[in-house]
Amino acid sequence: MIRVYFVGTGGGAPSPYRSLPSYLIRREGFYALFDCGEGTQRNLMEYRLGIMSIKLIGITHMHGDHVLGLPGLIQTMGLLDRKEPLYIMGPKAIKDFIERTSELTGFRAPFEIRFIDSYEDENIRIYKFPTCHTIESYGYIFEEKERKGLDVEKLRRDGINDWQILRELKAGKEVRFNGKTLKPEDYIIVKPAIRVAYTGDTSYCEKVIDSVKGVNLLLHDSTFLDEKDAREWGHSNAIDAATVAKQAEVKRLALIHISSRYRDTSQFVRLASRIFDKVFVPEDLSYYILDREP
Amino acid sequence: MIRVYFVGTGGGAPSPYRSLPSYLIRREGFYALFDCGEGTQRNLMEYRLGIMSIKLIGITHMHGDHVLGLPGLIQTMGLLDRKEPLYIMGPKAIKDFIERTSELTGFRAPFEIRFIDSYEDENIRIYKFPTCHTIESYGYIFEEKERKGLDVEKLRRDGINDWQILRELKAGKEVRFNGKTLKPEDYIIVKPAIRVAYTGDTSYCEKVIDSVKGVNLLLHDSTFLDEKDAREWGHSNAIDAATVAKQAEVKRLALIHISSRYRDTSQFVRLASRIFDKVFVPEDLSYYILDREP
């Protein structure tokens, strides 16, 4: 199960209604934060989510609204005496940004910061893809890998509930049961990967469509409602975002990076849903649960 | 009349109850902000105070909790297309900090930033004083200058209400009235200066006592309740702050920079008031009005 926390859903400047960009994606004890606008650490506290559980931070690009909360978050981790290493992904300049701001504010992290290009463990993969913005900019995919699991329904139908038999089958071994030979391949099913994509800042972008094909949830820039000049600013409007979602055949679309000029976002949903109807505009401090599909 | 806005009354790390240090002092249309911890720009929006009205920002020292909200505030001013120059006071390193963070986040202010050492106009003086912290650190005095005004009470008693006569007297001229000569010195009174002092971070400090003598309101570091090792960290506890207030004969004391470890601050007031009883612990987003004394 993956939870996506919409820590800050605004963009550019904060408003009383939306904070600057930050999204936390959590799978069991693994927390990854994507972008870290000013105010992120305090918003995380509002969720009562321990900031020390964050293992990895991915930054999309070096504009201030996406990155100016990072030095403060790292310094609070230091104040709380973090020892665990922290993984950082992002554009090349992110290393310099962290090191310079630490120097300028007389801070030395008591933990290691590891700059990495992608992340993978037994259960999770996190990787970047390029987007179309005014400067070097990336989106992120957070993937819970496909996993083999027992077909609980079929086992129930066949009257099999002995945990030792289940263990053998799961380990890929044949088992004798009621005079029959049970074959593991008959009881093991593949649970598909779950993928969440976050674009950061982007205008309508073919590279994004290629990269987010079929994801379960797409968080797409929708800075503007329907302004045609969104592209000139390296941003999208709600129609651009819905078009990408449709062409990439994603399962669900969240419109994010909403400009502070909008308070009511009902028009965003109305416009976008003409093109792609599984769409919503998350509020700050809300979250969304993605469970494995059957 | 001066209003002091307690934008962020915490210190070190934010908590859900207190934000990082920032205090806005306002006299009519003149707004000065002292320190700018992460989250300041959004807290200012909660007050519905226009951030563009800020003319001057004074930074006490270069620790992250006091300064990491500054790049974001300046960038939002830029996004809102500020043209007015912005005055910045602070330690020498503040210039480098603003310039480096702007470069690293690809930002160029569309307005002039003027680094100054003190500020003075017809009505206001703002100046620094040294404090005792772990690095170069200053406190600030915001002074509304003493002013000459008409003694409204005496004029009423003497039956004088002709505005032309009032104008002449105010301009220092003698006036004939009911066969008598009115002398301006009989009707002009001096309204004393009003001064607010903000210490930033400091341990118990003789230099602070000298600098804040007799101020109308003292905002003093009270990071800790009664911990004896406050001084080792370059901070004060509530007893230190009350002792300074008493020795400096200030009129009122606000305990600030409260560590995130405390939620209930009633003990702060109880302890401090044994030494100095005109004391309070302001909440975030509250404000305090200082009017001229009679």
Side-chain angles (χ1 to χ4, degrees):
Chain A
M1 189 173 84
I2 292 178
R3 273 178 210 245
V4 179
Y5 296 81
F6 301 100
V7 183
T9 61
S15 76
Y17 321 109
R18 294 181 192 274
S19 195
L20 293 173
S22 190
Y23 301 91
L24 184 86
I25 305 185
R26 174 185 179 181
R27 181 194 175 275
E28 295 178 5
F30 187 98
Y31 293 48
L33 187 75
F34 297 97
D35 280 337
C36 191
E38 185 183 344
T40 296
Q41 59 169 323
R42 199 154 188 238
N43 287 351
L44 288 168
M45 286 172 193
E46 295 285 339
Y47 275 116
R48 303 295 190 271
L49 282 169
I51 62 169
M52 297 299 248
S53 307
I54 295 169
K55 289 235 168 59
L56 181 150
I57 300 176
I59 297 294
T60 57
H61 66 297
M62 292 306 300
H63 282 156
D65 57 331
H66 291 252
V67 79
L68 284 170
L70 187 54
L73 178 64
I74 290 174
Q75 296 194 16
T76 295
M77 287 173 171
L79 208 65
L80 298 174
D81 213 23
R82 182 186 180 111
K83 294 289 175 228
E84 287 284 296
L86 177 68
Y87 296 101
I88 304 265
M89 294 173 67
K92 241 187 152 118
I94 192 64
K95 184 167 185 283
D96 208 27
F97 175 75
I98 292 172
E99 290 174 354
R100 284 295 93 67
T101 50
S102 293
E103 277 166 32
L104 288 161
T105 56
F107 172 76
R108 246 187 95 178
F111 54 90
E112 191 196 343
I113 295 178
R114 288 187 199 154
F115 296 91
I116 57 173
D117 205 48
S118 63
Y119 176 87
E120 183 161 5
D121 65 22
E122 210 187 337
N123 305 306
I124 291 166
R125 276 205 318 147
I126 298 171
Y127 53 96
K128 298 188 290 196
F129 59 89
T131 72
C132 300
H133 192 43
T134 54
I135 59 168
E136 180 192 3
S137 196
Y138 302 97
Y140 284 87
I141 305 275
F142 184 106
E143 178 183 301
E144 184 182 37
K145 293 180 179 178
E146 69 167 32
R147 282 198 300 176
K148 288 176 179 156
L150 291 170
D151 186 339
V152 181
E153 281 301 309
K154 189 166 196 292
L155 288 162
R156 194 181 300 139
R157 281 198 305 274
D158 295 352
I160 303 163
N161 55 17
D162 181 323
W163 70 271
Q164 289 189 343
I165 294 176
L166 301 189
R167 196 177 57 178
E168 298 285 291
L169 287 172
K170 203 170 179 184
K173 295 179 190 160
E174 294 188 350
V175 193
R176 292 291 297 175
F177 174 71
N178 283 354
K180 282 195 293 187
T181 298
L182 307 178
K183 293 185 174 173
E185 57 267 33
D186 292 336
Y187 293 97
I188 282 173
I189 50 173
V190 174
K191 298 181 180 182
I194 296 186
R195 291 186 302 143
V196 178
Y198 165 53
T199 64
D201 288 2
T202 189
S203 54
Y204 172 86
C205 184
E206 301 281 352
K207 288 180 284 185
V208 170
I209 297 171
D210 293 343
S211 302
V212 306
K213 272 267 184 292
V215 300
N216 299 73
L217 176 65
L218 170 64
L219 280 59
H220 196 290
D221 180 330
S222 176
T223 306
F224 301 106
L225 176 62
D226 57 359
E227 286 84 337
K228 297 278 181 294
D229 58 353
R231 195 174 301 204
E232 285 165 43
W233 299 99
H235 288 295
S236 300
N237 61 33
I239 296 162
D240 297 327
T243 306
V244 169
K246 184 181 181 176
Q247 293 178 339
E249 299 176 318
V250 308
K251 304 241 163 55
R252 198 167 288 270
L253 169 66
L255 302 177
I256 48 127
H257 203 267
I258 308 291
S259 162
S260 61
R261 72 173 73 168
Y262 307 102
R263 183 165 179 185
D264 174 13
T265 52
S266 57
Q267 286 286 357
F268 280 72
V269 174
R270 211 167 301 152
L271 262 187
S273 61
R274 288 185 201 156
I275 296 161
F276 184 84
D277 70 353
K278 291 201 155 58
V279 58
F280 66 109
V281 181
E283 293 293 314
D284 274 25
L285 299 183
S286 64
Y287 67 87
Y288 185 86
I289 296 179
L290 288 113
D291 218 333
R292 293 196 173 280
E293 288 165 289
Chain B
M1 189 173 84
I2 291 178
R3 275 178 208 244
V4 179
Y5 295 82
F6 302 100
V7 185
T9 62
S15 76
Y17 322 109
R18 292 182 193 275
S19 195
L20 293 173
S22 189
Y23 302 92
L24 184 86
I25 306 185
R26 173 184 180 181
R27 181 193 175 275
E28 296 179 3
F30 187 96
Y31 292 49
L33 187 75
F34 297 96
D35 279 339
C36 191
E38 184 184 344
T40 295
Q41 59 168 324
R42 198 150 187 241
N43 287 351
L44 288 169
M45 286 173 194
E46 295 285 340
Y47 276 119
R48 304 293 189 272
L49 282 169
I51 61 169
M52 297 299 250
S53 307
I54 295 169
K55 288 235 168 60
L56 181 150
I57 301 176
I59 297 294
T60 57
H61 65 297
M62 292 306 301
H63 281 156
D65 56 331
H66 291 252
V67 79
L68 283 172
L70 188 54
L73 178 63
I74 290 175
Q75 295 195 14
T76 296
M77 287 173 171
L79 206 64
L80 298 174
D81 212 24
R82 182 186 180 111
K83 296 287 174 230
E84 288 283 297
L86 177 69
Y87 296 101
I88 304 265
M89 293 174 67
K92 240 189 152 114
I94 192 64
K95 185 167 184 284
D96 209 26
F97 174 75
I98 291 172
E99 290 174 354
R100 284 295 93 67
T101 50
S102 294
E103 276 166 31
L104 288 160
T105 55
F107 172 77
R108 248 187 96 178
F111 54 90
E112 191 195 345
I113 296 178
R114 289 188 198 153
F115 297 92
I116 56 173
D117 206 48
S118 64
Y119 176 88
E120 183 161 5
D121 64 25
E122 207 187 339
N123 305 305
I124 293 166
R125 275 207 318 148
I126 300 172
Y127 53 97
K128 297 188 291 197
F129 59 88
T131 73
C132 299
H133 193 43
T134 55
I135 59 169
E136 180 192 4
S137 197
Y138 302 97
Y140 285 86
I141 306 275
F142 183 107
E143 178 182 301
E144 183 182 38
K145 294 180 179 178
E146 69 167 33
R147 282 198 299 176
K148 289 175 178 157
L150 291 170
D151 187 339
V152 181
E153 280 302 310
K154 188 166 196 294
L155 287 164
R156 195 181 300 141
R157 282 199 304 276
D158 295 353
I160 304 163
N161 55 15
D162 181 323
W163 70 271
Q164 289 190 343
I165 295 177
L166 301 188
R167 195 177 59 175
E168 298 285 291
L169 287 171
K170 203 170 179 184
K173 296 178 188 162
E174 294 187 349
V175 193
R176 293 290 297 174
F177 174 71
N178 282 355
K180 282 193 296 184
T181 298
L182 308 179
K183 292 186 176 172
E185 57 269 31
D186 292 337
Y187 292 96
I188 282 172
I189 50 173
V190 174
K191 299 181 179 183
I194 296 186
R195 291 188 301 142
V196 178
Y198 165 53
T199 64
D201 289 2
T202 189
S203 55
Y204 173 88
C205 184
E206 302 282 351
K207 288 180 285 184
V208 170
I209 297 170
D210 293 344
S211 303
V212 306
K213 273 266 185 291
V215 300
N216 299 73
L217 176 64
L218 170 64
L219 281 58
H220 197 289
D221 181 329
S222 178
T223 306
F224 302 106
L225 176 63
D226 58 359
E227 286 85 336
K228 298 279 182 295
D229 58 352
R231 195 172 303 202
E232 285 165 44
W233 299 101
H235 289 294
S236 301
N237 61 33
I239 297 161
D240 297 328
T243 306
V244 169
K246 184 181 181 175
Q247 293 178 339
E249 299 176 316
V250 309
K251 305 240 162 56
R252 197 167 289 270
L253 169 65
L255 302 177
I256 48 127
H257 203 268
I258 308 292
S259 163
S260 61
R261 73 173 72 169
Y262 307 102
R263 183 163 178 187
D264 175 14
T265 51
S266 56
Q267 287 287 357
F268 280 72
V269 173
R270 212 167 300 151
L271 263 186
S273 60
R274 287 185 202 156
I275 297 161
F276 184 85
D277 69 355
K278 291 202 156 57
V279 59
F280 67 109
V281 180
E283 292 294 312
D284 274 24
L285 299 184
S286 63
Y287 66 87
Y288 186 86
I289 295 179
L290 288 114
D291 218 333
R292 293 195 171 281
E293 288 164 290

